[in-house]
Amino acid sequence: MAEPQADASTNLLFKVDIVVIGAGQAGLSSAYHLGRLGLSVGRQFLVLDSNSTPGGAWQHRWPSLTLSTVNRVHDLPGMQFSEAVDTGDGAVKASVAVPEYFASYERKFNLPVYRPVTAKVVCDRSGRLRIETSRETFSARGIINATGTWENPVIPVYPGSELFEGQQLHTHDYRGADAFVGKHVVVVGGGISALQHLDEISQVTSTSWVTRREPQFREEPFTVEDGRAAVAAVEDRVRRGLVPGSVVSVTGISLTPALRAARDRGVLRRLPMFSEITKDGVRWPDGSEQRADVILWATGFRSSLDHLAPLQLREDNGGIVMGGRLATQVEKDPRVHLVGYGPSASTIGANRAGGAAARELATYLGLI
């Protein structure tokens, strides 16, 4: 896209009606719908993206995550995934296929993505929102925040962590199982990513699997009704200002063929959470220990919202009270929509929420 146009009164500040922060699934969906509403590209809205190329967080996923192993990537509005990528080849890396799709999507709809630029601080200035970035400063009447979670990995603090002489890493840094051959790996976490890592690593070396809660496996397939129920549960939480819960905690984990095979190999023997980390491994409250060379924290991510801190959107419990048709509008500041947060933290949820946020924000600002 062309460089954004500066306000006539300054060489530093670029003015626009709506800024979308983030060009992943949620951000691209929002931008598409803003364009469909008739807003002009570059003058009335633009998209800021911290990545140097299209693809959002997908371009950083581990190489062994392929189209056959990833949770379904839903089509963005107006363009099917298969128009850009051969979806019949399940061996294609998700980190290649999804960025290729996103790049084609940006070109097809002439979306105004300005990159690479990272939003550092968003604050109120004379009734507008000032967005300070790694490059220019922008001024907007409203924002749609779609920064996702990838840049905010969660690693719990445990006693002795600093004593461990092995390697500690998070899903964020995982690049495949081959690096762990000949090492004992403790995989921590009960979500889908943790189980994918466990399955892969257990095929090349020894593993232990540790979770805080007993995982709930489900024999039957995950249905549309299950998905709606999970989304409704998370939406209820954010509308009450609670921190969004994990979808897996609501739905359980479907036993895919890969997980069934891992179970048959004896890999899915879950251990309760250890109480401390030692120089050589981990230790439980009863004194039992497990030697380990690697601790892989597959313990999830938190929404990347630190740049919004000056707006004081959070409640005392860390949650944000959300409103609007699909719970994307911040009740404390209706100029701010969070897409990809809470119930819209999935590819299909982000699509629907992007449309709702675009229309609600444009209407609130009197642009349509």
Side-chain angles (χ1 to χ4, degrees), residues 351-365:
N351 283 351
R352 296 176 60 243
R359 178 168 291 280
E360 288 176 356
L361 182 55
T363 301
Y364 179 81
L365 297 176

Side-chain angles (χ1 to χ4, degrees), residues 68 199 219 254-265 268:
S68 64
D199 177 35
E219 298 285 345
S254 291
L255 277 170
T256 63
L259 289 182
R260 291 179 191 276
R263 183 181 61 182
D264 292 343
R265 288 188 285 111
L268 302 187

